[in-house]
C-alpha cells in the first residue's frame, strides 16, 4: 500500500528547522517519547533552560556551560552570587579548636547562615512550583502559554497539506454520493466522476477526504447559493488523502456539493476496483471487473470519506459495453443507450452505509433467481458453472428468511445478489446487497461435492448473510471493534446452521474452530479483540481468528450464561437501537443491560473478555463437597515456568459444571468467578467433576492429579457419560496443559487410551490434531523414529474403527467425515488394506471414469498421486475440471507427492486456482 506503516512522516529539513523553538523543551522530549506523533501534536508547554536549572538544583557540574544564566537567575531571586572559582575560604575564627581525631564543631554564626540559606532555597523552589503557569527567565516571570506549533506534512506539489492526522477530521460530513464510472475492459482503465453532498459542521477552508492511486483529479465546489469555486487540490499519499483548499471558508451549518473527476487503472491486486481473467466454455480468455473495498480500498475507486463512521447514501451509474452486465448494491432502475454506443445503467439510491460496503461488478455472468418474501435473490456465476449455483440459491433463500424473522428486522434492500468470482482474494465479502464469493465457497456440484463441501458453503453463505444486519445495518464505529462485525457474523453462522441445517453439524465445527482460537490466544503475541489500531497494516492484521472466532466464542459463552431467550432479546434490542448507525462495544453491552436491567451487569462481565488479551486457566481443587477454584492467565511460553500471565489479570468467568454420579437439574449449574479465587459447594461429594460443559466457555481447566484421575477412570469405564464435545474439550485441555509442563505427557497418553472405544468424529479429530502437532515437532527436531512411533500409537488406538470403515458415501455427515479422517490416517501409515483399496478406486476412475465416493475422494487422490503416471493424470484432470470442490481435493492429492519437483507444475495450469501455488503443504483450504 502507499500509506506509511505508522503515522509518523519523514519531514523535510527546512520544516524541521522552521519549527524549532529558541528554548529547548523540558516537559516533552520527542526523542524519548516515541508514542507522541509530531504530526498529531497536542498543546505542549515549554520552559526556558534557566528555569529548569533552578528547579533541578544547583549542582556544581551542571552549570559549567551556562554560568551566565545561573548568575542572572540568582540575582533575580535576591541571592548574592558567589564566584565558584574562589572556593570556600578558611576562617579559623569560625571554628573552635578541637582535639585531633574529633569532628570540628561549627560556630553559631555558621549554623545561622546555613539555616538562612536553606530557608531561602526552599522558598525559591516553593515559588517556582506553586506559582501557576510561571517560568522564571532573565526577563522575569512569564506565563507558559506557548503551545507546540502544528507541523503540517508536505503535499506532492510542495505546499503544506492542511491536515496532520491519519484519521479524517470531523468538521465535514458526507450526506450523499452520486457516482458515475466507466470501466474499460479493453484498456484496463476506468474513469469516474463523483458528486458528494457535504454538511459543514465547523468553519473550514479545506475539504479533506481519502483518495489512493486516482489520477488527474479535477474538482470544484458548488455552494448553496449556486456559486462555483475551483479549489486547489493537494495530495498527501502517505495518508492516502487529498484536500480541496478554498480561498474563502465554508460556513458552519451550510451544505455544499463537491464534484471530482478522475481516472485510474484497474487494479491487479484483488483489492480496490480490480480486473480478473478467466477461461470461458470455449477456452478463451475473458475479463471482468469487480471490487473488494474492505477495509480501506473504496478510496482506490472514488474519492470518499473512507472510514466506517462516515455513513452516507450512494447512487451509482455505470457505463458498459453491450456484452457485459453491471451489478451494484441496489436494484437497477434504468438502462439507456449513449451516443457512443455504450450502455448506461442506473441504480437506486442506497440506504445509509459505510464506504467499504459499496460494490460493483461488470462481467458476462448469468444467474438463477428466486423470490423470498418480496426480495429477489440471485446467484451469479460464469456461464459454464451456472449449473452449480442452485444449492447456494436454495440455502441463501432459507437463511435470508430465517435471519429476517430472528432479528425481527426485515432485510431492507429490494434484492440480494450472491456472485461467484472466478478469482478473489477473500473467501467472501458482505457488500450490502451484492455479496461476492470465491467459487469454491459458493458453487456446489452434485456427485462431485461432498457433504463436507456443503457444510463449508452453507457456513460461508450464513456468515455473509448475517453481516447484512451485523456489520451493514449496524456497523462498528472504527476498526478497533471489528469483532462486533466478524464475531457476531461468525456466531450467527453456526447458530443459523444449527437451527435450519441440523444435518450439517455446525456445533462440531464450531468447537474445532474454538480450539484453534485458544491455541493462538495463548501466545504472547496475541491481542485483545477490542484493540487500538490506526495504520493500514494494523487494521489488516486484526482480521484474524481472534476477531472472528474468539469474538463468536465469548458470545456463545454469554448466551449460555444468560439463556438463549434473554440473549436473543438482547441482540434484537442492540440492532433496533443502532440500525443504520455505528457503535462501539459499549453500545452492545448498554443495549444488553437495558434488557437484563443490569442483573447481571453484562458490560462489567464482558469488558474483561474484550479488553484483555488471552484467557484464564481455571485450577480446581476438590475437598469433599467443597470445590475451590482459582484463575490466572494461561500463557504458552518457551519457558514453562512462565506459563502464567500477570496475576492481576482477572476475568469474569461463567463456570458451568456438572458432576457424577448425579441425576436431574441439580447436576448442572453455573458459578460466576469474578475474583482470583472462589468456592463452589456441591449437594453431594462427586466421584468426578467436569467444568466448562460442552466447552461453551472460553477458558481451560486443570483438575489436579486426583481430578484428572477421576475423569480418566470414568472415560475408560463409560465414556458416553460425557457428551462428545466434553470429551474433545478434555483432550484439548490436557494437551494444552502438558505443553507447558503442568501435566506429564504420560498422563495424556493414559487419558487417550479410552479412544479404543471412541466412535465420534469430534474427540477423534481433536486427538489426531494434537498428536500431529507433537509428531511434526519431533520430525523437525530430527526424532524421526519417535515421530513414527507416535503415528503408530494413534493408528493402534483407532485401528478397530478404521477396520469398520467402508469406501462409500453412506451415512451422515459425521460418519462420512470420520471415514475420511480415519482412512487418511491409515493410508498415511501405509496400511496395506487402505493403500490397496485406494489404488483400486483410483485406477478405476482413471481408466473407466468410475464414480468416486465424495467422502473418500481426497484419500484416493493422495494415494493415486504417489506414482508418476497417477500424478500426471490427476494434474491433467485438475486443469480441466469445472468443479471447484473436486479441484480442491485434487490439489491436496497433487501436493502429497513425494517428488517435490512436480509441485512447480501445478501453478502452470491456467485455471481459477492459479493463485494457490503449492509450497509443499499437505493441504490448502480457502480462508473465509
Amino acid at each position: 500500500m502507499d500509506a506509511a506503516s505508522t503515522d509518523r512522516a519523514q519531514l523535510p529539513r527546512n520544516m524541521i528547522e522552521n519549527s524549532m523553538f529558541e528554548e529547548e523543551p523540558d516537559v516533552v522530549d520527542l526523542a524519548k517519547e516515541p508514542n507522541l506523533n509530531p504530526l498529531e501534536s497536542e498543546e505542549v508547554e515549554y520552559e526556558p533552560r534557566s528555569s529548569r536549572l533552578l528547579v533541578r538544583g544547583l549542582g556544581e557540574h551542571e552549570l559549567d556551560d551556562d554560568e551566565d544564566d545561573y548568575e542572572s537567575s540568582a540575582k533575580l531571586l535576591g541571592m548574592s552570587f558567589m564566584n565558584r572559582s574562589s572556593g570556600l575560604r578558611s576562617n579559623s575564627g569560625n571554628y573552635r579548636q578541637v582535639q585531633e581525631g574529633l569532628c570540628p564543631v561549627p560556630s553559631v554564626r555558621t549554623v545561622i547562615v546555613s539555616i538562612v540559606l536553606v530557608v531561602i532555597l526552599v522558598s525559591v523552589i516553593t515559588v517556582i512550583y506553586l506559582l501557576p503557569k510561571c517560568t522564571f527567565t532573565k526577563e522575569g516571570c512569564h506565563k507558559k502559554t506557548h503551545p507546540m506549533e502544528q507541523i503540517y506534512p508536505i503535499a506532492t506539489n510542495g505546499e503544506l497539506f492542511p491536515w496532520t492526522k491519519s484519521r479524517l477530521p470531523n468538521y465535514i460530513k458526507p450526506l450523499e454520493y452520486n457516482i458515475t464510472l466507466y470501466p474499460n475492459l479493453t484498456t484496463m482503465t476506468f474513469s469516474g466522476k463523483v458528486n458528494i453532498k457535504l454538511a459543514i459542521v465547523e468553519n473550514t477552508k479545506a475539504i479533506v477526504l481519502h483518495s489512493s492511486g486516482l489520477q488527474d483529479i479535477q474538482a470544484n465546489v458548488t455552494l448553496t447559493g449556486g456559486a462555483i469555486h475551483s479549489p486547489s487540490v493537494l495530495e498527501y499519499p502517505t495518508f492516502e488523502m487529498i484536500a480541496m483548499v478554498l480561498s474563502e471558508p465554508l460556513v458552519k451549518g451550510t451544505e455544499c456539493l463537491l464534484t471530482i473527476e478522475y481516472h485510474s487503472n484497474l487494479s491487479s491486486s484483488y483489492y480496490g476496483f480490480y480486473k480478473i481473467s478467466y477461461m470461458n466454455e470455449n477456452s478463451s480468455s475473458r475479463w471482468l471487473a469487480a471490487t473488494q473495498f474492505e477495509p480501506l480500498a473504496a478510496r482506490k475507486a472514488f474519492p470518499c470519506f473512507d472510514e466506517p463512521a462516515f455513513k452516507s447514501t450512494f447512487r451509482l451509474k455505470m457505463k458498459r459495453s453491450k456484452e457485459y452486465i453491471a451489478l451494484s448494491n441496489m436494484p437497477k432502475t434504468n438502462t439507456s443507450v449513449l451516443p457512443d454506443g455504450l450502455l448506461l445503467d442506473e441504480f437506486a439510491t442506497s440506504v445509509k452505509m459505510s464506504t467499504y460496503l459499496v460494490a460493483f461488478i461488470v462481467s458476462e455472468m448469468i444467474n438463477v433467481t428466486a423470490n423470498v418474501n418480496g426480495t429477489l435473490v440471485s446467484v451469479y456465476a460464469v456461464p459454464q458453472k451456472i449449473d452449480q449455483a442452485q444449492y447456494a440459491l436454495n440455502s441463501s433463500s432459507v437463511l435470508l428468511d430465517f435471519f429476517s424473522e430472528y432479528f425481527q428486522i426485515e432485510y431492507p434492500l429490494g434484492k440480494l445478489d450472491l456472485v461467484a468470482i472466478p478469482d478473489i482474494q477473500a473467501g467472501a465479502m458482505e457488500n450490502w446487497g451484492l455479496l461476492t464469493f470465491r467459487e469454491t465457497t459458493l458453487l456446489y456440484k452434485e456427485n462431485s461435492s461432498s457433504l463436507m463441501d456443503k457444510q463449508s458453503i452453507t457456513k460461508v453463505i450464513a456468515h455473509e448473510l448475517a453481516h447484512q444486519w451485523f456489520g451493514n445495518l449496524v456497523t462498528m464505529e472504527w476498526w478497533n471493534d471489528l469483532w462486533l462485525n466478524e464475531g457476531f457474523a461468525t456466531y450467527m453462522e453456526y447458530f443459523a446452521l444449527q437451527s435450519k441445517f441440523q444435518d450439517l453439524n455446525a456445533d462440531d465445527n464450531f468447537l474445532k474452530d474454538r480450539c484453534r482460537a485458544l491455541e493462538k490466544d495463548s501466545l504472547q503475541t496475541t491481542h485483545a479483540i477490542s484493540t487500538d489500531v490506526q495504520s493500514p497494516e494494523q487494521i489488516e492484521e486484526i482480521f484474524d481468528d481472534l476477531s472472528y472466532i474468539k469474538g463468536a466464542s465469548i458470545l456463545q459463552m454469554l448466551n449460555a450464561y444468560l439463556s438463549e431467550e434473554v440473549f436473543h432479546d438482547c441482540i434484537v434490542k442492540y440492532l433496533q437501537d443502532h440500525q443504520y448507525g455505528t457503535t462501539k462495544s459499549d453500545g452492545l453491552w448498554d443495549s444488553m443491560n437495558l434488557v437484563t436491567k443490569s442483573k447481571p451487569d453484562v458490560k462489567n462481565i464482558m469488558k474483561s473478555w474484550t479488553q484483555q488479551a488471552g484467557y484464564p486457566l481455571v485450577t480446581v481443587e476438590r475437598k469433599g463437597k467443597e470445590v475451590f477454584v482459582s484463575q490466572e492467565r494461561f500463557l504458552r511460553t518457551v519457558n514453562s515456568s512462565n506459563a502464567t500471565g500477570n496475576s492481576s489479570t482477572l476475568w469474569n468467568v461463567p463456570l458451568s459444571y456438572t458432576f457424577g454420579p448425579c441425576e436431574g437439574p441439580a447436576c448442572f449449574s453455573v458459578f460466576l468467578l469474578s475474583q482470583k479465587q472462589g468456592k463452589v459447594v456441591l449437594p453431594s461429594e462427586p466421584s468426578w467433576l467436569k467444568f466448562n460443559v460442552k466447552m461453551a466457555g472460553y477458558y481451560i481447566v486443570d483438575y489436579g492429579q486426583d481430578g484428572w484421575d477421576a475423569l480418566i477412570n470414568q472415560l475408560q469405564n463409560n465414556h458416553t457419560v460425557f457428551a462428545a464435545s466434553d470429551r474433545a474439550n478434555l483432550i484439548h485441555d490436557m494437551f494444552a496443559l502438558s505443553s507447558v509442563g503442568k501435566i506429564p505427557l504420560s498422563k495424556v497418553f493414559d487419558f487417550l487410551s479410552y479412544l479404543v472405544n471412541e466412535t465420534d468424529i469430534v474427540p477423534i479429530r481433536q486427538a489426531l490434531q494434537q498428536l500431529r502437532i507433537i509428531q511434526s515437532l519431533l520430525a523437525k527436531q530430527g526424532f524421526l523414529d519417535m515421530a513414527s512411533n507416535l503415528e503408530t500409537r494413534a493408528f493402534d488406538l483407532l485401528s478397530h474403527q478404521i477396520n469398520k470403515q467402508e469406501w462409500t458415501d453412506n451415512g451422515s455427515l459425521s460418519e462420512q467425515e470420520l471415514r475420511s479422517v480415519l482412512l487418511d490416517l491409515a493410508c498415511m501409515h501405509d496400511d496395506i488394506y487402505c493403500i490397496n483399496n485406494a489404488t483400486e478406486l483410483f485406477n478405476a476412475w482413471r481408466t473407466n471414469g468410475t464414480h468416486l465416493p465424495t467422502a473418500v475422494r481426497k484419500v484416493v487422490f493422495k494415494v493415486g498421486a504417489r506414482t508418476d503416471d497417477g500424478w500426471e493424470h490427476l494434474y491433467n484432470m485438475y486443469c480441466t475440471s469445472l468443479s471447484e470442490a473436486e479441484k480442491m481435493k485434487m490439489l491436496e492429492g497433487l501436493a502429497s507427492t513425494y517428488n517435490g519437483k512436480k509441485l512447480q507444475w501445478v501453478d502452470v495450469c491456467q485455471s481459477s486456482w492459479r493463485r494457490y501455488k503449492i509450497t509443499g503443504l499437505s493441504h490448502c483450504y480457502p480462508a473465509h
Side-chain angles (χ1 to χ4, degrees):
M1 299 182 184
D2 294 332
S5 60
T6 69
D7 289 343
R8 290 182 179 271
Q10 296 297 323
L11 302 179
R13 181 178 179 86
N14 66 323
M15 284 187 64
I16 298 174
E17 292 174 348
N18 291 339
S19 65
M20 293 177 64
F21 291 87
E22 292 182 1
E23 300 164 341
E24 69 179 270
D26 175 55
V27 179
V28 175
D29 184 351
L30 292 178
K32 297 179 181 178
E33 296 289 339
N35 294 329
L36 289 177
N37 190 332
L39 295 185
E40 300 186 1
S41 59
E42 301 293 339
E43 293 210 339
V44 180
E45 295 175 337
Y46 283 71
E47 62 181 353
R49 178 184 305 176
S50 56
S51 169
R52 297 201 314 277
L53 293 173
L54 289 172
V55 173
R56 291 175 178 172
L58 307 178
E60 180 176 350
H61 300 291
E62 291 180 274
L63 305 180
D64 291 341
D65 297 328
D66 300 291
E67 192 166 308
D68 290 341
D69 286 347
Y70 174 81
E71 182 176 3
S72 299
S73 300
K75 288 180 179 179
L76 177 65
L77 296 172
M79 298 171 60
S80 62
F81 184 79
M82 297 185 297
N83 190 334
R84 289 183 296 137
S85 63
S86 63
L88 291 176
R89 295 176 182 174
S90 174
N91 187 343
S92 59
N94 292 339
Y95 294 92
R96 298 175 183 175
Q97 296 294 326
V98 297
Q99 297 179 0
E100 185 177 355
L102 298 178
C103 294
V105 178
S107 67
V108 175
R109 178 184 175 187
T110 301
V111 172
I112 294 173
V113 170
S114 299
I115 292 174
V116 171
L117 288 174
V118 170
V119 171
I120 292 174
L121 183 59
V122 171
S123 301
V124 169
I125 295 173
T126 303
V127 169
I128 290 173
Y129 278 96
L130 295 185
L131 282 180
K133 294 187 177 180
C134 185
T135 298
F136 284 85
T137 66
K138 296 177 182 180
E139 294 75 24
C141 175
H142 297 280
K143 288 187 177 180
K144 299 187 296 182
T145 57
H146 306 292
M148 179 186 288
E149 295 179 1
Q150 291 278 6
I151 302 176
Y152 289 96
I154 302 297
T156 53
N157 65 354
E159 296 183 23
L160 290 180
F161 192 79
W163 188 242
T164 63
K165 300 183 180 182
S166 60
R167 297 274 300 275
L168 291 176
N170 289 315
Y171 51 68
I172 293 180
K173 304 285 187 182
L175 301 176
E176 177 183 305
Y177 291 81
N178 197 319
I179 306 167
T180 302
L181 292 170
Y182 172 41
N184 189 323
L185 295 180
T186 301
T187 63
M188 299 303 163
T189 61
F190 69 95
S191 57
K193 179 179 180 180
V194 57
N195 295 314
I196 312 175
K197 185 178 180 181
L198 303 173
I200 311 304
V201 179
E202 299 291 343
N203 293 347
T204 180
K205 286 186 176 182
I207 303 172
V208 181
L209 66 164
H210 287 112
S211 173
S212 177
L214 305 180
Q215 305 162 14
D216 297 332
I217 295 176
Q218 305 293 324
N220 62 66
V221 177
T222 304
L223 303 183
T224 305
I228 299 177
H229 295 264
S230 297
S232 299
V233 180
L234 304 179
E235 299 182 50
Y236 187 54
T238 300
F239 290 165
E240 297 185 335
M241 290 180 183
I242 58 174
M244 314 300 167
V245 181
L246 296 101
S247 57
E248 299 294 330
L250 299 170
V251 180
K252 175 181 178 180
T254 62
E255 295 180 356
C256 68
L257 183 67
L258 172 63
T259 301
I260 305 175
E261 296 186 42
Y262 58 94
H263 71 265
S264 187
N265 297 316
L266 290 170
S267 171
S268 300
S269 67
Y270 307 96
Y271 194 48
F273 194 14
Y274 63 94
K275 59 188 178 183
I276 303 169
S277 67
Y278 63 95
M279 306 299 289
N280 67 8
E281 62 272 20
N282 299 320
S283 298
S284 299
S285 179
R286 303 300 298 165
W287 290 90
L288 64 81
T291 58
Q292 171 62 42
F293 288 163
E294 188 182 45
L296 306 172
R299 64 193 69 175
K300 295 179 181 294
F302 57 97
C304 58
F305 295 79
D306 200 12
E307 294 179 10
F310 289 101
K311 282 195 168 184
S312 180
T313 61
F314 296 82
R315 184 175 179 86
L316 178 72
K317 298 178 183 178
M318 183 72 71
K319 297 180 183 179
R320 59 177 174 87
S321 300
K322 293 181 179 180
E323 65 268 30
Y324 299 111
I325 64 167
L327 302 172
S328 188
N329 305 86
M330 301 300 292
K332 184 167 60 176
T333 58
N334 185 55
T335 299
S336 57
V337 180
L338 300 175
D340 56 6
L342 296 175
L343 301 181
L344 179 67
D345 291 330
E346 300 180 44
F347 297 88
T349 302
S350 75
V351 295
K352 284 185 66 176
M353 62 183 184
S354 302
T355 50
Y356 77 89
L357 296 171
V358 176
F360 30 85
I361 297 172
V362 176
S363 71
E364 296 180 76
M365 293 183 176
I366 58 177
N367 69 317
V368 293
T369 64
N371 190 291
V372 180
N373 297 324
T375 299
L376 182 64
V377 180
S378 303
V379 178
Y380 286 83
V382 295
Q384 65 269 31
K385 297 180 181 180
I386 194 63
D387 63 324
Q388 302 176 42
Q390 191 61 45
Y391 176 75
L393 181 65
N394 296 341
S395 57
S396 59
S397 298
V398 171
L399 289 165
L400 180 65
D401 185 59
F402 169 75
F403 283 135
S404 295
E405 181 179 349
Y406 184 79
F407 296 141
Q408 299 178 19
I409 298 175
E410 289 293 327
Y411 174 74
L413 308 186
K415 61 94 176 175
L416 175 68
D417 296 336
L418 298 83
V419 184
I421 305 290
D423 209 357
I424 183 174
Q425 186 176 39
M429 177 60 202
E430 68 268 19
N431 315 300
W432 213 346
L434 184 61
L435 284 61
T436 54
F437 297 79
R438 193 180 297 171
E439 285 184 330
T440 191
T441 62
L442 188 66
L443 302 182
Y444 179 87
K445 188 172 184 178
E446 294 291 342
N447 299 321
S448 179
S449 302
S450 66
L451 280 177
M452 285 81 84
D453 298 322
K454 180 179 287 188
Q455 179 196 61
S456 175
I457 289 169
T458 314
K459 275 179 52 186
V460 178
I461 293 173
H463 183 98
E464 305 311 326
L465 284 182
H467 267 310
Q468 306 305 294
W469 287 265
F470 288 101
N472 299 8
L473 184 69
V474 179
T475 312
M476 79 263 143
E477 187 173 298
W478 179 244
W479 299 104
N480 60 305
D481 279 323
L482 174 69
W483 84 273
L484 282 176
N485 285 15
E486 299 300 349
F488 256 115
T490 303
Y491 171 78
M492 290 308 306
E493 89 183 40
Y494 293 111
F495 181 81
L497 261 65
Q498 198 60 31
S499 300
K500 304 302 292 186
F501 299 87
Q502 292 89 348
D503 60 320
L504 295 183
N505 297 340
D507 282 354
D508 296 349
N509 207 264
F510 191 13
L511 185 141
K512 177 182 69 175
D513 288 345
R514 292 200 301 278
C515 290
R516 187 173 77 244
L518 286 166
E519 297 299 313
K520 294 185 178 181
D521 205 16
S522 65
L523 303 177
Q524 290 179 312
T525 53
T526 188
H527 62 83
I529 60 173
S530 185
T531 186
D532 180 54
V533 292
Q534 295 295 332
S535 70
E537 291 79 7
Q538 291 172 335
I539 293 170
E540 291 282 358
E541 286 172 359
I542 62 169
F543 284 82
D544 60 6
D545 280 346
L546 301 181
S547 295
Y548 285 69
I549 302 172
K550 182 178 180 178
S553 300
I554 66 171
L555 291 172
Q556 174 178 267
M557 181 170 61
L558 183 60
N559 184 344
Y561 182 59
L562 296 178
S563 81
E564 188 170 306
E565 181 180 356
V566 173
F567 183 80
H568 177 219
D569 292 341
C570 287
I571 62 176
V572 169
K573 175 66 173 170
Y574 167 69
L575 290 172
Q576 292 174 344
D577 287 348
H578 301 285
Q579 57 184 321
Y580 300 107
T582 60
T583 188
K584 301 178 182 179
S585 293
D586 280 351
L588 170 63
W589 311 136
D590 289 339
S591 292
M592 288 188 163
N593 272 346
L594 290 174
V595 175
T596 66
K597 296 179 171 56
S598 297
K599 295 181 180 180
D601 186 342
V602 178
K603 179 185 286 189
N604 182 56
I605 293 173
M606 298 308 295
K607 274 193 170 184
S608 64
W609 295 96
T610 59
Q611 297 180 359
Q612 295 180 157
Y615 56 88
L617 161 64
V618 176
T619 302
V620 178
E621 182 182 1
R622 269 197 298 145
K623 293 182 180 179
K625 294 190 298 182
E626 295 182 332
V627 181
F628 298 90
V629 291
S630 62
Q631 63 165 300
E632 59 187 339
R633 180 179 174 183
F634 180 72
L635 193 60
R636 195 187 302 261
T637 64
V638 175
N639 185 353
S640 60
S641 63
N642 297 326
T644 56
N646 189 338
S647 59
S648 64
T649 303
L650 296 177
W651 288 263
N652 291 290
V653 190
L655 290 175
S656 59
Y657 59 91
T658 185
F659 59 93
C662 183
E663 294 181 0
C667 300
F668 173 84
S669 190
V670 179
F671 171 74
L672 185 66
L673 178 62
S674 58
Q675 302 298 324
K676 176 73 174 177
Q677 298 175 329
K679 184 175 73 172
V680 177
V681 179
L682 302 177
S684 61
E685 184 173 350
S687 60
W688 56 264
L689 174 66
K690 166 72 170 66
F691 278 89
N692 201 3
V693 177
K694 295 186 178 180
M695 202 178 174
Y698 193 76
Y699 53 91
I700 64 174
V701 184
D702 184 2
Y703 298 91
Q705 180 173 339
D706 293 341
W708 281 115
D709 286 343
L711 290 166
I712 291 172
N713 290 334
Q714 181 60 52
L715 281 166
Q716 292 175 343
N717 292 331
N718 180 13
H719 67 278
T720 60
V721 168
F722 303 101
S725 54
D726 281 317
R727 304 196 295 269
N729 176 214
L730 291 170
I731 292 171
H732 171 271
D733 287 4
M734 285 204 84
F735 273 100
L737 293 168
S738 69
S739 70
V740 295
K742 287 185 173 292
I743 294 180
L745 200 54
S746 58
K747 177 75 71 176
V748 179
F749 284 103
D750 289 343
F751 180 95
L752 292 182
S753 62
Y754 99 91
L755 286 177
V756 296
N757 299 315
E758 184 60 79
T759 60
D760 197 283
I761 178 59
V762 180
I764 289 177
R765 180 175 56 202
Q766 182 61 216
L768 290 177
Q769 181 167 342
Q770 296 292 346
L771 289 172
R772 282 170 181 163
I773 293 173
I774 299 176
Q775 183 183 359
S776 176
L777 290 173
L778 290 172
K780 288 178 181 178
Q781 294 296 322
F783 300 108
L784 301 182
D785 289 341
M786 293 180 65
S788 178
N789 291 339
L790 189 60
E791 182 181 291
T792 300
R793 175 62 174 159
F795 177 81
D796 291 342
L797 286 172
L798 298 169
S799 58
H800 178 67
Q801 286 296 328
I802 290 173
N803 293 333
K804 293 168 60 177
Q805 301 306 311
E806 299 176 351
W807 296 76
T808 68
D809 277 335
N810 296 334
S812 65
L813 172 61
S814 292
E815 293 170 330
Q816 291 191 28
E817 191 172 3
L818 179 64
R819 182 176 306 141
S820 177
V821 167
L822 292 178
L823 291 178
D824 191 33
L825 170 65
C827 286
M828 285 176 60
H829 190 61
D830 291 330
D831 176 65
I832 189 64
Y833 172 79
C834 184
I835 296 296
N836 288 341
N837 277 278
T839 301
E840 182 180 346
L841 287 171
F842 183 83
N843 290 335
W845 170 75
R846 182 176 65 173
T847 57
N848 304 322
T850 303
H851 173 74
L852 287 176
T854 58
V856 298
R857 191 169 295 187
K858 178 183 69 175
V859 180
V860 171
F861 288 157
K862 290 172 74 173
V863 173
R866 291 186 178 186
T867 66
D868 289 344
D869 289 345
W871 196 93
E872 294 295 337
H873 180 78
L874 190 62
Y875 170 74
N876 291 330
M877 296 300 294
Y878 168 79
C879 290
T880 57
S881 175
L882 294 179
S883 169
E884 296 303 316
E886 185 175 56
K887 293 178 78 163
M888 281 297 298
K889 299 175 181 63
M890 291 178 176
L891 198 62
E892 291 198 55
L894 293 170
S896 65
T897 179
Y898 295 142
N899 185 353
K901 293 183 179 179
K902 290 183 177 295
L903 300 179
Q904 62 183 318
W905 292 102
V906 176
D907 194 46
V908 176
C909 179
Q910 296 299 314
S911 72
S912 64
W913 283 99
R914 67 186 183 282
R915 289 180 53 249
Y916 298 98
K917 299 182 180 180
I918 306 303
T919 57
L921 297 176
S922 62
H923 62 273
C924 179
Y925 290 112
H928 68 276

